[in-house]
Each structure stands twice: as structure tokens, then as C-alpha cells.
Amino acid sequence: MSEGLKPGGGIKPELPFKPVRIAVLTVSDTRDESTDTSGQILIDRVRDAGHEFAGRAVIRDDIEAIRAQVRDWIDSQSVDAIISTGGTGLTGRDVTVQALEPLFDKKIDGFSVIFHLVSYATVGLSTLQSRATAGLIDGVFVFCLPGSNGAVKDGWDKVIAAQLDSRHKPCNMVELMPRLLEE
């Protein structure tokens, strides 16, 4: 990032930490749990941050299969957030965005903007090949990251981790959770 653009806010360690129940979805035609390095990076980071790891699935690039897994987790009421990896690119098989954005009750437009900002610092203009997105489905946060290890690290370390930490101020997404379904 340029010297003129530095993120504000930060973690206040004196505040209590509230763990979030997070599930990890890998979308890939070529990976399984034993070869899913990007999903494992997310799982390790979720646990290392003190959150509750709520589930893992590796699903092929299929719109209905992706939706079914996400709906299962949401309907179980056992997850607060889902982070997917893979299927956000531009090729014909990249269908995560098409699968999940229509389910969003609200799109979190700023996520894509900030993800691309931090990704640009890492991979330059190659960030244009990602359609990373996020939104809310029935009160559950859904973050869709590219499938590369670097993109997963950037997405978690530089964007998602702070917003899913109840100690991040001036605000965070955890404090919104009780009010996400209000009318």
C-alpha cells in the first residue's frame, strides 16, 4: 500500500474475545482434503485466532452442489461465517460467485474493494482475475476467496481476521451478529 493509505483501527487486546463459528468450503474439481492446501491454511488460521472451526467441505465446481453445502451449514444454525476458497476466477469452471451471490440477502461491496487493494500489493494487476465477493445469507457472513494460497492468506490475514475479531475497533462484524436478522 502507498504511504498515504494506511488502515485505521486495530485490535484492543484488553477487550474480551468472542469466538465465531467458521466453516471452510473449498471449491475445486482437482482437490480433495489431502491436497487442499488453501482450505487447510484457512482452517489453521481460524483455529489459531481462537475461533471455533465449524466444518469443512471440498465441493466440485458445480453451482447446485456449492449452494447445497452452504444451505446445509446455514440451515444447521451451527455457523456464523463461511469462507470459501476457489471458483472466483474468470474461466468457465469458476462458478462460486454465480452460485452464491444470488443467495445474498445483502452484498458486502467493500469486501471486494479492500480484498483487491491488499491483493494488488501482493500480485499487482493479476488481482483483476479474481471476483472475490462477500455477503450475508440468512444472518451468516459468506466470504468467497480465490483458491491460491497467497490469496487465502491475504484475504484472512489482511481483511477477514480483523472484522471477525470482536476486539477490533472502531467496529467489527461480530458486534453486528445479534442484529443481522432484525426487521
Side-chain angles (χ1 to χ4, degrees):
M1 280 188 242
S2 73
E3 288 292 41
L5 185 61
K6 294 182 181 176
I11 303 297
K12 304 290 184 188
E14 67 275 11
L15 296 175
F17 177 77
K18 297 176 188 169
V20 175
R21 300 170 301 171
I22 303 172
V24 174
L25 172 65
T26 298
V27 178
S28 176
D29 286 338
T30 59
R31 297 181 194 170
D32 59 27
E33 281 194 28
S34 69
T35 58
D36 176 24
T37 55
S38 61
Q40 190 61 52
I41 288 168
L42 282 170
I43 292 165
D44 293 343
R45 279 167 159 72
V46 163
R47 287 180 170 148
D48 290 347
H51 295 294
E52 181 182 328
F53 171 61
R56 176 187 200 167
V58 180
I59 301 292
R60 69 189 192 290
D61 294 277
D62 176 83
I63 289 173
E64 293 309 317
I66 296 165
R67 286 180 180 166
Q69 180 60 65
V70 168
R71 285 263 40 120
D72 283 351
W73 278 328
I74 291 170
D75 292 346
S76 75
Q77 298 182 8
S78 64
V79 299
D80 304 308
I82 298 167
I83 306 173
S84 74
T85 172
T88 64
L90 301 174
T91 73
R93 296 294 302 150
D94 293 319
V95 297
T96 302
V97 176
Q98 293 94 305
L100 297 180
E101 276 192 345
L103 303 181
F104 290 173
D105 300 311
K106 293 184 178 177
K107 187 173 178 186
I108 305 171
D109 294 310
F111 174 78
S112 181
V113 173
I114 298 302
F115 173 80
H116 285 294
L117 181 68
V118 301
S119 178
Y120 179 76
T122 303
V123 298
L125 290 174
S126 295
T127 192
L128 293 175
Q129 296 179 31
S130 166
R131 297 178 296 142
T133 189
L136 283 167
I137 304 173
D138 293 339
V140 173
F141 292 107
V142 178
F143 301 94
C144 303
L145 296 171
S148 75
N149 291 349
V152 164
K153 290 173 185 176
D154 280 349
W156 175 264
D157 296 348
K158 299 175 184 175
V159 187
I160 300 170
Q163 279 299 291
L164 293 183
D165 191 322
S166 56
R167 303 167 299 171
H168 186 272
K169 296 299 175 189
C171 58
N172 59 75
M173 291 178 170
V174 178
E175 62 195 15
L176 299 176
M177 292 166 87
R179 299 178 39 224
L180 292 175
L181 296 175
E182 69 188 9
E183 294 185 30

